Amino acid sequence: MTAETVSRDERAMPKGKDLFVILGALMLAMLLAALDQTIVSTALPTIVSDLGGLNHLSWVVTAYLLSSTASTPLWGKLGDQYGRKRLFQASIVIFLIGSALCGIAQSMTELIVFRALQGLGGGGLMVLVVAIVGDVVPPRERGRFQGLFGAVFGVASVCGPLLGGWFVDNLSWRWVFYINIPIGIVALLVIAAVLHAEGERESHRIDYLGTLLIVGWAVGLVLMTTWGGTRYDWVSAPIVLLGVASVVLIALWLAVERRAAEPVMPPRLLASSVFSLSSAISFAVGFAMFGALTFLPIFLQVVHGVSPTLSGVHLLPMMLGMLVSSIGSGQLISKFGRYKAFPVAGTPIIAVALYLCSRLDEDSSTLSMSLRFALLGFGLGLVMQVLVIAVQNAVPYEDLGSATSGVTFFRQIGGSFGVAVFGSVFSSRLAGHVEDLAKDRMLPPGFDPAAVQGNPKLLDRYPGQVKDGVLHAYAQSIDTVFLWAVPVAAVAFLLTLFLREVPLRATSQTRDYGEGFGGAPTVRSSRHEIECALSELMRKDAEARELYNRLGALAGVELSAGSMWALCRIAKDGTVSGQELADRAGVSVEEGRPFVDRIVEDGYVERREGVLAITGSGREVAGRLFEARRKGLAEHLEGWSPDEHPELASILTRLARASLGDDADGEVLCPPRPSSHGVAP
């Protein structure tokens, strides 16, 4: 890639207000998709009361998780191939259509189908937002904005249950879906008006068959766990056939992936013990997290009679515990370079918290519940993002993107299974307890547990003995759900003991822990992962003056920091007017003139009819600065063998050029502040 190409790419990127408007729209879109993983949880009891179908409750969550997870790889590669703007707009439209249809659903079956459609659009929102950020933000600045998008996941996870409950209490459960429409329309209009950068196009051989087979075996297994023990006996023909069909589809999927040019998940990854163990642990984490988020609101609203809004408030300790431990563990890993201790500690905490949740009953105090929820969240946060670090340190460069995406994929699949299994256990146990109450003549004729679930105040119409019996039945049923999850967390703990800890690479110390906290599906190429990490490392570099002075010493260039910035900028542009150069630096022409005069005097730049043009000697000196920067960045890639991967070598060259003479460090032409350690011009 030539300097002129880099320069043109940077000039095409939006600047100033336009950039922040685009980023705002992208954050809105990501917020929509992230919220819809959690906002429904506190509304579920009311939805079941209105639409019926208690046995299908878990599918309202599972349908969204499965469709968003399975569609994510397709959206990513289609966006690379055909342009991200149009695909992103299409994903927003699909998401909004799904939201509108969910809002007008008249049966549980309709709602489940429409949730799957909504998830299809949500998968596109997640992956394309991340890709478009790379198109509109220069590499040097990219790290600064990654944290903002990570924060969106954290906000969505904390606020989702709370917002869902508020809508149910003050409007209707249908507004849980309707609220997406005005926000999505704003994002759609802004993207249509302001986003012009399309990014580079890449040709892909898309693995449609592999994606279809993933959906097939995942749905088959989720159906088996949903229907087993409720609609059908575990040894009945439908359940056995579903199990056999799912195993066959898994075998076919593995065979197809071995032959696919660009598999959704390269089978060689499964041969890596670190990846396999991390994926299994991630599955268990998703199992516990999404299962808890789905069934704790039912416990709170029915057994303790709190409003949907207050049930969201009760969940805040869990979400805050998750946020604190996720961010805190990330900072400790960056500081000490060790990560295995966190999942080893986190998984038993999850197991203990799940066991304590299984001991809750109708008499548990708010403090007791809050402490248990916070402990569960704290344990989850210790594990989630660390698993991404583990696989990134264990796989070669060519598998970096697939491994990162794979761990997230298994967390989402685990969430789908968790909700399905929890739902099956809950429905089965509740039906059994209600039947026992009926046999003991403790229930009036025509009693409907689903109606009570949607409106717990109905119990006030019945005698105290009936009310106490029903509340205890619900408490026992949900307790069983959490008790069944304990062995899953215990197995995850045993797996963490065998997780091999690989020395932490510099690029793994820059993870966006907020995104890991959100648990949303994403797909990134190996190139994207390295670019994100390097851009964050560049952001953490010393102040601009120090950086240029250091590079000047390494390259043997005796110029002030401001003159080196101007030389690199002019070398990238080829020719540039004095006014444009001053605008890029954020100074007046008079303030910047001394820096330019120096490189003109040295023969590195010529003034030609009001235009500054790079000379041969100037290009050679700038090249030395670029090479010094490239070598500095290469030190961050120790262990990735950039000399063996042409793509990595290209990334280093491109980022080295892009990060010198960049608008973001034009402050070196400004008068030094008292705290600056730079050399005065």
Side-chain angles (χ1 to χ4, degrees), residues 373-405:
F373 299 165
L375 186 66
L376 178 59
F378 189 82
L380 290 169
L382 287 177
V383 182
M384 287 193 296
Q385 188 60 36
V386 179
L387 298 174
V388 175
I389 294 175
V391 298
Q392 286 190 332
N393 277 275
V395 300
Y397 170 74
E398 56 269 20
D399 290 334
L400 177 60
S402 299
T404 305
S405 306

PDB file of all heavy atoms in Angstrom, residues 373-405:
ATOM      1  N   PHE A 373     -27.271 -12.715  44.228  1.00  0.00           N
ATOM      2  CA  PHE A 373     -27.241 -12.278  42.829  1.00  0.00           C
ATOM      3  C   PHE A 373     -25.903 -11.605  42.507  1.00  0.00           C
ATOM      4  O   PHE A 373     -25.329 -11.819  41.436  1.00  0.00           O
ATOM      5  CB  PHE A 373     -28.385 -11.306  42.550  1.00  0.00           C
ATOM      6  CG  PHE A 373     -29.759 -11.883  42.757  1.00  0.00           C
ATOM      7  CD1 PHE A 373     -30.879 -11.053  42.850  1.00  0.00           C
ATOM      8  CD2 PHE A 373     -29.948 -13.252  42.868  1.00  0.00           C
ATOM      9  CE1 PHE A 373     -32.140 -11.573  43.037  1.00  0.00           C
ATOM     10  CE2 PHE A 373     -31.221 -13.790  43.065  1.00  0.00           C
ATOM     11  CZ  PHE A 373     -32.312 -12.948  43.157  1.00  0.00           C
ATOM     12  N   ALA A 374     -25.411 -10.784  43.442  1.00  0.00           N
ATOM     13  CA  ALA A 374     -24.135 -10.100  43.224  1.00  0.00           C
ATOM     14  C   ALA A 374     -22.989 -11.111  43.128  1.00  0.00           C
ATOM     15  O   ALA A 374     -22.076 -10.960  42.304  1.00  0.00           O
ATOM     16  CB  ALA A 374     -23.867  -9.103  44.354  1.00  0.00           C
ATOM     17  N   LEU A 375     -23.043 -12.150  43.968  1.00  0.00           N
ATOM     18  CA  LEU A 375     -22.004 -13.184  43.926  1.00  0.00           C
ATOM     19  C   LEU A 375     -22.016 -13.910  42.585  1.00  0.00           C
ATOM     20  O   LEU A 375     -20.956 -14.191  42.003  1.00  0.00           O
ATOM     21  CB  LEU A 375     -22.219 -14.175  45.074  1.00  0.00           C
ATOM     22  CG  LEU A 375     -21.135 -15.241  45.249  1.00  0.00           C
ATOM     23  CD1 LEU A 375     -19.813 -14.599  45.660  1.00  0.00           C
ATOM     24  CD2 LEU A 375     -21.579 -16.282  46.289  1.00  0.00           C
ATOM     25  N   LEU A 376     -23.209 -14.209  42.080  1.00  0.00           N
ATOM     26  CA  LEU A 376     -23.321 -14.870  40.773  1.00  0.00           C
ATOM     27  C   LEU A 376     -22.738 -13.988  39.676  1.00  0.00           C
ATOM     28  O   LEU A 376     -21.955 -14.458  38.836  1.00  0.00           O
ATOM     29  CB  LEU A 376     -24.791 -15.192  40.477  1.00  0.00           C
ATOM     30  CG  LEU A 376     -25.084 -15.837  39.121  1.00  0.00           C
ATOM     31  CD1 LEU A 376     -24.322 -17.151  38.969  1.00  0.00           C
ATOM     32  CD2 LEU A 376     -26.589 -16.063  38.953  1.00  0.00           C
ATOM     33  N   GLY A 377     -23.097 -12.713  39.677  1.00  0.00           N
ATOM     34  CA  GLY A 377     -22.568 -11.798  38.678  1.00  0.00           C
ATOM     35  C   GLY A 377     -21.064 -11.653  38.778  1.00  0.00           C
ATOM     36  O   GLY A 377     -20.353 -11.607  37.757  1.00  0.00           O
ATOM     37  N   PHE A 378     -20.554 -11.594  40.004  1.00  0.00           N
ATOM     38  CA  PHE A 378     -19.112 -11.453  40.201  1.00  0.00           C
ATOM     39  C   PHE A 378     -18.366 -12.648  39.619  1.00  0.00           C
ATOM     40  O   PHE A 378     -17.340 -12.494  38.943  1.00  0.00           O
ATOM     41  CB  PHE A 378     -18.812 -11.322  41.700  1.00  0.00           C
ATOM     42  CG  PHE A 378     -17.390 -10.963  42.008  1.00  0.00           C
ATOM     43  CD1 PHE A 378     -16.962  -9.642  41.949  1.00  0.00           C
ATOM     44  CD2 PHE A 378     -16.474 -11.944  42.361  1.00  0.00           C
ATOM     45  CE1 PHE A 378     -15.643  -9.310  42.230  1.00  0.00           C
ATOM     46  CE2 PHE A 378     -15.151 -11.618  42.642  1.00  0.00           C
ATOM     47  CZ  PHE A 378     -14.741 -10.297  42.572  1.00  0.00           C
ATOM     48  N   GLY A 379     -18.883 -13.838  39.853  1.00  0.00           N
ATOM     49  CA  GLY A 379     -18.248 -15.037  39.302  1.00  0.00           C
ATOM     50  C   GLY A 379     -18.277 -15.066  37.793  1.00  0.00           C
ATOM     51  O   GLY A 379     -17.285 -15.416  37.140  1.00  0.00           O
ATOM     52  N   LEU A 380     -19.404 -14.684  37.196  1.00  0.00           N
ATOM     53  CA  LEU A 380     -19.516 -14.662  35.731  1.00  0.00           C
ATOM     54  C   LEU A 380     -18.512 -13.686  35.127  1.00  0.00           C
ATOM     55  O   LEU A 380     -17.871 -13.973  34.112  1.00  0.00           O
ATOM     56  CB  LEU A 380     -20.935 -14.273  35.327  1.00  0.00           C
ATOM     57  CG  LEU A 380     -22.032 -15.306  35.605  1.00  0.00           C
ATOM     58  CD1 LEU A 380     -23.413 -14.682  35.414  1.00  0.00           C
ATOM     59  CD2 LEU A 380     -21.874 -16.521  34.710  1.00  0.00           C
ATOM     60  N   GLY A 381     -18.391 -12.514  35.734  1.00  0.00           N
ATOM     61  CA  GLY A 381     -17.478 -11.502  35.202  1.00  0.00           C
ATOM     62  C   GLY A 381     -16.023 -11.920  35.259  1.00  0.00           C
ATOM     63  O   GLY A 381     -15.208 -11.470  34.439  1.00  0.00           O
ATOM     64  N   LEU A 382     -15.658 -12.784  36.207  1.00  0.00           N
ATOM     65  CA  LEU A 382     -14.279 -13.250  36.308  1.00  0.00           C
ATOM     66  C   LEU A 382     -13.892 -14.194  35.177  1.00  0.00           C
ATOM     67  O   LEU A 382     -12.708 -14.405  34.909  1.00  0.00           O
ATOM     68  CB  LEU A 382     -14.059 -13.974  37.649  1.00  0.00           C
ATOM     69  CG  LEU A 382     -14.009 -13.110  38.908  1.00  0.00           C
ATOM     70  CD1 LEU A 382     -13.869 -14.001  40.138  1.00  0.00           C
ATOM     71  CD2 LEU A 382     -12.855 -12.111  38.852  1.00  0.00           C
ATOM     72  N   VAL A 383     -14.885 -14.760  34.524  1.00  0.00           N
ATOM     73  CA  VAL A 383     -14.606 -15.823  33.551  1.00  0.00           C
ATOM     74  C   VAL A 383     -14.732 -15.372  32.107  1.00  0.00           C
ATOM     75  O   VAL A 383     -13.907 -15.725  31.257  1.00  0.00           O
ATOM     76  CB  VAL A 383     -15.547 -17.029  33.793  1.00  0.00           C
ATOM     77  CG1 VAL A 383     -15.239 -18.153  32.821  1.00  0.00           C
ATOM     78  CG2 VAL A 383     -15.433 -17.520  35.223  1.00  0.00           C
ATOM     79  N   MET A 384     -15.745 -14.571  31.791  1.00  0.00           N
ATOM     80  CA  MET A 384     -16.150 -14.374  30.398  1.00  0.00           C
ATOM     81  C   MET A 384     -15.033 -13.912  29.481  1.00  0.00           C
ATOM     82  O   MET A 384     -14.667 -14.581  28.514  1.00  0.00           O
ATOM     83  CB  MET A 384     -17.326 -13.402  30.331  1.00  0.00           C
ATOM     84  CG  MET A 384     -18.621 -14.005  30.809  1.00  0.00           C
ATOM     85  SD  MET A 384     -20.058 -13.005  30.374  1.00  0.00           S
ATOM     86  CE  MET A 384     -19.752 -11.529  31.294  1.00  0.00           C
ATOM     87  N   GLN A 385     -14.477 -12.739  29.748  1.00  0.00           N
ATOM     88  CA  GLN A 385     -13.507 -12.180  28.814  1.00  0.00           C
ATOM     89  C   GLN A 385     -12.162 -12.883  28.886  1.00  0.00           C
ATOM     90  O   GLN A 385     -11.418 -12.908  27.909  1.00  0.00           O
ATOM     91  CB  GLN A 385     -13.332 -10.683  29.078  1.00  0.00           C
ATOM     92  CG  GLN A 385     -12.494  -9.969  28.040  1.00  0.00           C
ATOM     93  CD  GLN A 385     -13.099 -10.071  26.654  1.00  0.00           C
ATOM     94  OE1 GLN A 385     -14.312 -10.043  26.500  1.00  0.00           O
ATOM     95  NE2 GLN A 385     -12.261 -10.206  25.656  1.00  0.00           N
ATOM     96  N   VAL A 386     -11.849 -13.494  30.012  1.00  0.00           N
ATOM     97  CA  VAL A 386     -10.568 -14.174  30.171  1.00  0.00           C
ATOM     98  C   VAL A 386     -10.435 -15.323  29.178  1.00  0.00           C
ATOM     99  O   VAL A 386      -9.343 -15.632  28.701  1.00  0.00           O
ATOM    100  CB  VAL A 386     -10.413 -14.690  31.617  1.00  0.00           C
ATOM    101  CG1 VAL A 386      -9.106 -15.429  31.798  1.00  0.00           C
ATOM    102  CG2 VAL A 386     -10.500 -13.527  32.590  1.00  0.00           C
ATOM    103  N   LEU A 387     -11.547 -15.958  28.838  1.00  0.00           N
ATOM    104  CA  LEU A 387     -11.508 -17.077  27.901  1.00  0.00           C
ATOM    105  C   LEU A 387     -11.072 -16.617  26.516  1.00  0.00           C
ATOM    106  O   LEU A 387     -10.410 -17.356  25.778  1.00  0.00           O
ATOM    107  CB  LEU A 387     -12.882 -17.751  27.839  1.00  0.00           C
ATOM    108  CG  LEU A 387     -13.345 -18.348  29.176  1.00  0.00           C
ATOM    109  CD1 LEU A 387     -14.772 -18.850  29.059  1.00  0.00           C
ATOM    110  CD2 LEU A 387     -12.419 -19.482  29.603  1.00  0.00           C
ATOM    111  N   VAL A 388     -11.442 -15.406  26.135  1.00  0.00           N
ATOM    112  CA  VAL A 388     -10.991 -14.852  24.857  1.00  0.00           C
ATOM    113  C   VAL A 388      -9.475 -14.678  24.874  1.00  0.00           C
ATOM    114  O   VAL A 388      -8.774 -15.002  23.903  1.00  0.00           O
ATOM    115  CB  VAL A 388     -11.693 -13.508  24.574  1.00  0.00           C
ATOM    116  CG1 VAL A 388     -11.145 -12.873  23.307  1.00  0.00           C
ATOM    117  CG2 VAL A 388     -13.196 -13.712  24.454  1.00  0.00           C
ATOM    118  N   ILE A 389      -8.946 -14.180  25.976  1.00  0.00           N
ATOM    119  CA  ILE A 389      -7.498 -14.012  26.105  1.00  0.00           C
ATOM    120  C   ILE A 389      -6.793 -15.361  25.993  1.00  0.00           C
ATOM    121  O   ILE A 389      -5.756 -15.487  25.332  1.00  0.00           O
ATOM    122  CB  ILE A 389      -7.168 -13.340  27.449  1.00  0.00           C
ATOM    123  CG1 ILE A 389      -7.713 -11.913  27.470  1.00  0.00           C
ATOM    124  CG2 ILE A 389      -5.673 -13.340  27.710  1.00  0.00           C
ATOM    125  CD1 ILE A 389      -7.543 -11.220  28.796  1.00  0.00           C
ATOM    126  N   ALA A 390      -7.356 -16.378  26.626  1.00  0.00           N
ATOM    127  CA  ALA A 390      -6.728 -17.704  26.619  1.00  0.00           C
ATOM    128  C   ALA A 390      -6.571 -18.241  25.201  1.00  0.00           C
ATOM    129  O   ALA A 390      -5.501 -18.720  24.822  1.00  0.00           O
ATOM    130  CB  ALA A 390      -7.546 -18.668  27.472  1.00  0.00           C
ATOM    131  N   VAL A 391      -7.632 -18.148  24.392  1.00  0.00           N
ATOM    132  CA  VAL A 391      -7.532 -18.699  23.037  1.00  0.00           C
ATOM    133  C   VAL A 391      -6.657 -17.825  22.154  1.00  0.00           C
ATOM    134  O   VAL A 391      -5.945 -18.331  21.271  1.00  0.00           O
ATOM    135  CB  VAL A 391      -8.925 -18.890  22.397  1.00  0.00           C
ATOM    136  CG1 VAL A 391      -9.757 -19.884  23.198  1.00  0.00           C
ATOM    137  CG2 VAL A 391      -9.675 -17.581  22.234  1.00  0.00           C
ATOM    138  N   GLN A 392      -6.664 -16.520  22.379  1.00  0.00           N
ATOM    139  CA  GLN A 392      -5.828 -15.649  21.553  1.00  0.00           C
ATOM    140  C   GLN A 392      -4.342 -15.908  21.777  1.00  0.00           C
ATOM    141  O   GLN A 392      -3.529 -15.702  20.868  1.00  0.00           O
ATOM    142  CB  GLN A 392      -6.148 -14.179  21.841  1.00  0.00           C
ATOM    143  CG  GLN A 392      -7.468 -13.718  21.263  1.00  0.00           C
ATOM    144  CD  GLN A 392      -7.636 -12.226  21.348  1.00  0.00           C
ATOM    145  OE1 GLN A 392      -7.091 -11.585  22.227  1.00  0.00           O
ATOM    146  NE2 GLN A 392      -8.399 -11.664  20.433  1.00  0.00           N
ATOM    147  N   ASN A 393      -4.004 -16.358  22.952  1.00  0.00           N
ATOM    148  CA  ASN A 393      -2.604 -16.635  23.240  1.00  0.00           C
ATOM    149  C   ASN A 393      -2.165 -18.021  22.791  1.00  0.00           C
ATOM    150  O   ASN A 393      -0.979 -18.325  22.825  1.00  0.00           O
ATOM    151  CB  ASN A 393      -2.342 -16.489  24.741  1.00  0.00           C
ATOM    152  CG  ASN A 393      -2.105 -15.059  25.151  1.00  0.00           C
ATOM    153  OD1 ASN A 393      -1.000 -14.565  25.077  1.00  0.00           O
ATOM    154  ND2 ASN A 393      -3.153 -14.378  25.546  1.00  0.00           N
ATOM    155  N   ALA A 394      -3.108 -18.859  22.397  1.00  0.00           N
ATOM    156  CA  ALA A 394      -2.779 -20.250  22.089  1.00  0.00           C
ATOM    157  C   ALA A 394      -2.852 -20.589  20.612  1.00  0.00           C
ATOM    158  O   ALA A 394      -2.361 -21.639  20.211  1.00  0.00           O
ATOM    159  CB  ALA A 394      -3.714 -21.181  22.867  1.00  0.00           C
ATOM    160  N   VAL A 395      -3.458 -19.731  19.785  1.00  0.00           N
ATOM    161  CA  VAL A 395      -3.655 -20.081  18.373  1.00  0.00           C
ATOM    162  C   VAL A 395      -2.704 -19.278  17.493  1.00  0.00           C
ATOM    163  O   VAL A 395      -2.261 -18.194  17.873  1.00  0.00           O
ATOM    164  CB  VAL A 395      -5.113 -19.825  17.934  1.00  0.00           C
ATOM    165  CG1 VAL A 395      -6.068 -20.668  18.763  1.00  0.00           C
ATOM    166  CG2 VAL A 395      -5.474 -18.340  18.045  1.00  0.00           C
ATOM    167  N   PRO A 396      -2.394 -19.801  16.298  1.00  0.00           N
ATOM    168  CA  PRO A 396      -1.571 -19.035  15.359  1.00  0.00           C
ATOM    169  C   PRO A 396      -2.356 -17.875  14.767  1.00  0.00           C
ATOM    170  O   PRO A 396      -3.592 -17.824  14.873  1.00  0.00           O
ATOM    171  CB  PRO A 396      -1.215 -20.071  14.279  1.00  0.00           C
ATOM    172  CG  PRO A 396      -2.303 -21.091  14.353  1.00  0.00           C
ATOM    173  CD  PRO A 396      -2.710 -21.149  15.791  1.00  0.00           C
ATOM    174  N   TYR A 397      -1.647 -16.975  14.106  1.00  0.00           N
ATOM    175  CA  TYR A 397      -2.274 -15.767  13.582  1.00  0.00           C
ATOM    176  C   TYR A 397      -3.457 -16.068  12.669  1.00  0.00           C
ATOM    177  O   TYR A 397      -4.510 -15.426  12.775  1.00  0.00           O
ATOM    178  CB  TYR A 397      -1.248 -14.923  12.815  1.00  0.00           C
ATOM    179  CG  TYR A 397      -1.878 -13.792  12.038  1.00  0.00           C
ATOM    180  CD1 TYR A 397      -2.346 -12.662  12.696  1.00  0.00           C
ATOM    181  CD2 TYR A 397      -2.038 -13.877  10.655  1.00  0.00           C
ATOM    182  CE1 TYR A 397      -2.955 -11.636  11.999  1.00  0.00           C
ATOM    183  CE2 TYR A 397      -2.646 -12.848   9.952  1.00  0.00           C
ATOM    184  CZ  TYR A 397      -3.092 -11.734  10.616  1.00  0.00           C
ATOM    185  OH  TYR A 397      -3.698 -10.722   9.925  1.00  0.00           O
ATOM    186  N   GLU A 398      -3.315 -17.053  11.786  1.00  0.00           N
ATOM    187  CA  GLU A 398      -4.380 -17.303  10.804  1.00  0.00           C
ATOM    188  C   GLU A 398      -5.687 -17.754  11.450  1.00  0.00           C
ATOM    189  O   GLU A 398      -6.750 -17.645  10.849  1.00  0.00           O
ATOM    190  CB  GLU A 398      -3.938 -18.346   9.769  1.00  0.00           C
ATOM    191  CG  GLU A 398      -3.483 -19.670  10.342  1.00  0.00           C
ATOM    192  CD  GLU A 398      -1.980 -19.708  10.605  1.00  0.00           C
ATOM    193  OE1 GLU A 398      -1.361 -18.626  10.713  1.00  0.00           O
ATOM    194  OE2 GLU A 398      -1.423 -20.818  10.704  1.00  0.00           O
ATOM    195  N   ASP A 399      -5.627 -18.244  12.699  1.00  0.00           N
ATOM    196  CA  ASP A 399      -6.842 -18.689  13.392  1.00  0.00           C
ATOM    197  C   ASP A 399      -7.305 -17.707  14.456  1.00  0.00           C
ATOM    198  O   ASP A 399      -8.263 -17.982  15.179  1.00  0.00           O
ATOM    199  CB  ASP A 399      -6.607 -20.058  14.053  1.00  0.00           C
ATOM    200  CG  ASP A 399      -6.479 -21.178  13.039  1.00  0.00           C
ATOM    201  OD1 ASP A 399      -7.036 -21.028  11.944  1.00  0.00           O
ATOM    202  OD2 ASP A 399      -5.815 -22.184  13.343  1.00  0.00           O
ATOM    203  N   LEU A 400      -6.647 -16.567  14.559  1.00  0.00           N
ATOM    204  CA  LEU A 400      -6.944 -15.630  15.645  1.00  0.00           C
ATOM    205  C   LEU A 400      -8.398 -15.158  15.609  1.00  0.00           C
ATOM    206  O   LEU A 400      -9.100 -15.178  16.618  1.00  0.00           O
ATOM    207  CB  LEU A 400      -5.996 -14.434  15.553  1.00  0.00           C
ATOM    208  CG  LEU A 400      -6.197 -13.308  16.572  1.00  0.00           C
ATOM    209  CD1 LEU A 400      -6.037 -13.835  17.987  1.00  0.00           C
ATOM    210  CD2 LEU A 400      -5.218 -12.177  16.300  1.00  0.00           C
ATOM    211  N   GLY A 401      -8.863 -14.712  14.442  1.00  0.00           N
ATOM    212  CA  GLY A 401     -10.232 -14.217  14.339  1.00  0.00           C
ATOM    213  C   GLY A 401     -11.257 -15.294  14.609  1.00  0.00           C
ATOM    214  O   GLY A 401     -12.236 -15.095  15.342  1.00  0.00           O
ATOM    215  N   SER A 402     -11.041 -16.489  14.006  1.00  0.00           N
ATOM    216  CA  SER A 402     -11.996 -17.593  14.188  1.00  0.00           C
ATOM    217  C   SER A 402     -12.051 -18.047  15.639  1.00  0.00           C
ATOM    218  O   SER A 402     -13.129 -18.363  16.155  1.00  0.00           O
ATOM    219  CB  SER A 402     -11.608 -18.774  13.292  1.00  0.00           C
ATOM    220  OG  SER A 402     -11.639 -18.421  11.931  1.00  0.00           O
ATOM    221  N   ALA A 403     -10.907 -18.089  16.308  1.00  0.00           N
ATOM    222  CA  ALA A 403     -10.882 -18.530  17.703  1.00  0.00           C
ATOM    223  C   ALA A 403     -11.604 -17.544  18.613  1.00  0.00           C
ATOM    224  O   ALA A 403     -12.368 -17.930  19.508  1.00  0.00           O
ATOM    225  CB  ALA A 403      -9.436 -18.717  18.164  1.00  0.00           C
ATOM    226  N   THR A 404     -11.373 -16.256  18.377  1.00  0.00           N
ATOM    227  CA  THR A 404     -12.041 -15.221  19.172  1.00  0.00           C
ATOM    228  C   THR A 404     -13.551 -15.305  19.006  1.00  0.00           C
ATOM    229  O   THR A 404     -14.316 -15.256  19.974  1.00  0.00           O
ATOM    230  CB  THR A 404     -11.536 -13.827  18.761  1.00  0.00           C
ATOM    231  OG1 THR A 404     -10.115 -13.786  18.866  1.00  0.00           O
ATOM    232  CG2 THR A 404     -12.135 -12.751  19.642  1.00  0.00           C
ATOM    233  N   SER A 405     -13.988 -15.429  17.756  1.00  0.00           N
ATOM    234  CA  SER A 405     -15.419 -15.530  17.476  1.00  0.00           C
ATOM    235  C   SER A 405     -15.996 -16.828  18.026  1.00  0.00           C
ATOM    236  O   SER A 405     -17.141 -16.864  18.493  1.00  0.00           O
ATOM    237  CB  SER A 405     -15.662 -15.470  15.962  1.00  0.00           C
ATOM    238  OG  SER A 405     -15.073 -14.324  15.393  1.00  0.00           O
TER     239      SER A 405
END
